[in-house]
Amino acid sequence: MNNLLAAARGDRPADIVIRGARVANVLTLEYEDVDVALCGDKIAGLGKGYEGKTVVDARGAVLIPGMIDGHVHIESTLLAPPVFADAVAPHGTTAVMADPHEIANALGMRGVEYMYLSSRGAPVDVFLGAPSCVPASDFETPFDPLEMSAVREMFRRGWCQHLGEVMNFPAVINGDPALWGKLEAAGDVPLTGHAPGVSGRALNAYALSGVSSDHECVGPEEALEKLRRGMWVMMREGASFPNLRALLTVVKENPALAARCMAVTDDITARYIAEAGHMDVKVRIMAEEGLNPLLALRLVTFSPADYFRLRDRGAIAPGLRADLVLVDDLRSCRVDKVWKDGRLVAEDGRRVGGLTSASSVSFPPAARVTPPTVEQLAVPASGSMMNVIGVTEGDVLTRTLRMEPTVRDGLAVADPDRDLAKIVVLERHHATGRFTVGFVSGLGIGRGAVASSVAHDAHHFVAAGADDRSIVTALTRLGQTGGGLAVADGESVRGALDLPIGGLMTNLDAASAARALDDIERRAGALGVGIAHPFMVLSFLCLSVIPELRITDQGYVDITQGGLQPLFPK
């Protein structure tokens, strides 16, 4: 402290002085023409005349606080935590609030421990949310359910900083004792939410729980209602579900609401990071939409820091962490240099100081999964109409479609001419052999099949295809490797990306993972799959807590209709 005080007074040289930059003040929404002095991992002071052991000439650039992602699932990038950190740090990210409920569903407490240990020492602070819904609902089967005692234990061990998104909103609204017990076990920490389409009296009941944020808004009316009821709105801009532009209307019309809003990611891929960026792309989008760039910056710095009670960061001020980013301009937000805790960690789009090594955690062996046979996938046409999952590109919500089945030899079959694919979910954690068969429209599969062990939230094997043989081939590939992504055509595997870490993440570096994902998506495209990020879209078709129709290892599910639904309605 004495050194920090002396540096602040100018009685001794600072370790680093960043000189000549326009300093973006997110507290007063103005630029300051001051120098910034750093001492160790803290900001010592701002002003003119500071001397430093190292002086950085930043004339013509803008100095901003390190950016914070208020909600992200690292597993969705397919990257291990330290690799993810190395990938996003050059984009100016210095902290993320990560919900590890994906790996918690796949590996239980060991998965959360892995995320905690492997992110230590990374160039980005990873604050974990204790998974609150494992399983997401009673209609999904995780590796090991995490009850109230597990939530309490994760906080006791110091792994978690907040409560992960409370996804089972019907259970919250209806006063389910087990879920409310988890809220109580979390104690006095931020309770993050997930309430797609929840409105009116149901929203009142949800807010009574103390859950204080939501990242599922898709339109300004929904966002404004949640703000009026005391919640924070996390404006999502992910790879498959970009909602930021639509939601930004709320802040543009009333800038004061920025105090209770932030821009977040939710789910992105390694390729998205390489091609578009991370939090920097959100600043660019908001500036393009006409928002004051300083206000846009606040939505990825001070606002998330405020919500998550991170009092040591989010702005450039004396005593805060020296998490700083030098950019050319806020509108373009091209990152030049990144300091984390006063240490240069990225420059010119590259990591500085070597990549981070991951801590190892032993995982239980994957269960041996035997896929169903072609004969077992046969679906007798037992009705004139069937329920079909309707996919709309760019929308996390699905629709419940009523469609006539295409019938051959008395069986309901996939029909590429009608954009009607068969979809199968195979339980993988306990080798029960249980599977569910349904149909989906909107994927555009012309032939063959695509399959994945990334299948929110329980992460069983899911495959969608134009014929049963291709589906079995793709599922067989996943069963042989324990998890990954696969593309099959008939009896041939056309492409695969193995995910050895819980069936969710690869050991590859970010660049190699992005290339591998690009390759397998191109192979999926060769089968006629026309939507962007097809494997991510496929994975969300299994998430039972998103309206409307979904498919899990237990059956068709529509949470808005109370649960399990038949394939052929009466």
Side-chain angles (χ1 to χ4, degrees):
M1 178 58 75
N2 288 338
N3 287 341
L4 185 63
L5 282 169
R9 294 191 303 262
D11 294 344
R12 55 156 288 184
D15 294 327
I16 299 173
V17 171
I18 303 172
R19 182 166 291 163
R22 298 173 69 206
V23 177
N25 192 319
V26 296
L27 302 175
T28 57
L29 300 181
E30 63 179 332
Y31 293 102
E32 292 188 87
D33 292 321
V34 292
D35 301 332
V36 178
L38 312 182
C39 183
D41 61 356
K42 298 288 194 301
I43 298 170
L46 294 81
K48 296 292 187 179
Y50 278 110
E51 298 297 328
K53 300 173 185 176
T54 299
V55 176
V56 177
D57 184 354
R59 283 174 294 180
V62 176
L63 188 67
I64 68 174
M67 290 180 275
I68 302 169
D69 192 342
H71 181 70
V72 66
H73 301 287
I74 292 174
E75 303 98 311
S76 291
T77 67
L78 308 183
L79 304 174
V83 181
F84 166 81
D86 285 334
V88 300
H91 292 280
T93 301
T94 56
V96 299
M97 317 310 292
D99 188 336
H101 70 219
E102 316 296 359
I103 199 166
N105 271 276
L107 294 172
M109 288 280 280
R110 282 181 177 239
V112 182
E113 181 184 29
Y114 167 77
M115 299 298 281
Y116 174 76
L117 292 177
S118 64
S119 61
R120 300 308 90 189
V124 172
D125 287 331
V126 177
F127 296 98
L128 297 180
S132 63
C133 294
V134 179
S137 78
D138 292 338
F139 307 108
E140 299 184 26
T141 309
F143 172 80
D144 186 21
L146 299 184
E147 305 297 347
M148 179 176 65
S149 60
V151 171
R152 184 177 290 113
E153 183 65 14
M154 285 184 273
F155 283 110
R156 188 193 69 80
R157 296 187 184 186
W159 296 347
C160 300
Q161 185 266 355
H162 60 281
L163 188 67
E165 59 178 301
V166 183
M167 305 183 69
N168 194 346
F169 58 89
V172 175
I173 294 166
N174 294 322
D176 177 71
L179 189 47
W180 277 73
K182 294 179 184 180
L183 302 178
E184 181 182 350
D188 184 25
V189 301
L191 310 179
T192 65
H194 165 113
V198 177
S199 179
R201 293 179 180 178
L203 180 58
N204 292 336
Y206 189 76
L208 277 174
S209 68
V211 175
S212 55
S213 65
D214 179 60
H215 64 273
E216 292 291 342
C217 296
V218 296
E221 296 81 9
E222 181 182 1
L224 190 57
E225 183 183 7
K226 286 171 178 171
L227 287 165
R228 286 169 173 159
R229 298 299 170 261
M231 300 183 75
W232 286 62
V233 169
M234 297 176 169
M235 300 183 293
R236 173 173 54 196
E237 184 68 20
S240 297
F241 311 115
N243 306 126
L244 180 57
R245 293 182 192 272
L247 296 174
L248 203 57
T249 302
V250 173
V251 178
K252 288 168 65 177
E253 293 181 352
N254 187 351
L257 294 179
R260 296 186 69 82
C261 293
M262 68 190 86
V264 304
T265 294
D266 202 8
D267 297 282
I268 54 174
T269 65
R271 191 178 71 180
Y272 182 95
I273 296 169
E275 294 178 352
H278 188 216
M279 304 311 292
D280 51 338
V281 71
K282 296 169 179 53
V283 175
R284 287 193 289 273
I285 289 171
M286 289 187 280
E288 288 171 6
E289 291 296 309
L291 191 67
N292 177 346
L294 285 164
L295 197 58
L297 182 62
R298 182 187 171 104
L299 292 171
V300 298
T301 55
F302 187 75
S303 286
D306 187 26
Y307 175 73
F308 286 102
R309 306 175 195 171
L310 302 177
R311 308 305 183 201
D312 62 348
R313 68 194 73 204
I316 302 177
L320 299 188
R321 285 189 176 276
D323 293 354
L324 301 168
V325 181
L326 202 61
V327 300
D328 61 337
D329 179 81
L330 280 185
R331 293 187 182 277
S332 56
C333 204
R334 285 191 293 268
V335 176
D336 178 25
K337 293 180 174 63
V338 182
W339 290 269
K340 177 74 188 80
D341 294 329
R343 181 172 60 91
L344 186 68
V345 296
E347 187 172 14
D348 294 328
R350 295 181 177 84
R351 275 279 284 120
V352 172
L355 300 180
T356 312
S357 61
S359 301
S360 61
V361 176
S362 60
F363 295 140
R368 296 184 62 85
V369 180
T370 302
T373 64
V374 169
E375 292 73 21
Q376 289 174 316
L377 292 184
V379 177
S382 58
S384 60
M385 301 293 289
M386 64 181 183
N387 285 324
V388 175
I389 301 170
V391 174
T392 302
E393 187 169 3
D395 194 344
V396 69
L397 304 179
T398 56
R399 295 168 293 146
T400 301
L401 304 179
R402 292 289 178 90
M403 298 178 64
E404 293 183 13
T406 296
V407 180
R408 297 194 189 111
D409 300 323
L411 302 177
V413 297
D415 187 347
D417 291 337
R418 299 174 61 201
D419 192 11
L420 183 64
K422 183 176 282 188
I423 185 168
V424 178
V425 174
L426 172 63
E427 194 279 324
R428 77 168 170 113
H429 300 314
H430 306 288
T432 62
R434 182 173 62 249
F435 64 92
T436 298
V437 180
F439 289 87
V440 57
S441 178
L443 296 179
I445 298 177
R447 71 175 195 275
V450 292
S452 175
S453 57
V454 181
H456 302 288
D457 258 349
H459 298 292
H460 298 295
F461 293 161
V462 60
D467 68 276
D468 293 349
R469 173 58 64 191
S470 297
I471 290 173
V472 170
T473 299
L475 290 173
T476 299
R477 169 67 190 202
L478 300 187
Q480 291 169 342
T481 61
L485 312 179
V487 175
D489 193 2
E491 296 184 350
S492 174
V493 175
R494 297 295 189 184
L497 171 57
D498 296 338
L499 301 174
I501 304 175
L504 299 175
M505 292 174 281
T506 174
N507 287 320
L508 296 173
D509 62 83
S512 298
R515 287 193 297 270
L517 181 61
D518 180 65
D519 177 70
I520 197 167
E521 287 189 351
R522 283 191 293 102
R523 293 176 186 273
L527 302 181
V529 180
I531 59 174
H533 310 290
F535 290 96
M536 183 171 286
V537 173
L538 179 66
S539 72
F540 276 97
L541 301 185
C542 306
L543 183 51
S544 63
V545 291
I546 297 283
E548 293 174 353
L549 191 61
R550 303 281 156 158
I551 186 169
T552 77
D553 66 301
Q554 298 183 32
Y556 260 163
V557 177
D558 186 340
I559 200 77
T560 66
Q561 298 299 316
L564 294 174
Q565 305 294 313
L567 175 56
F568 291 95
K570 296 181 180 179

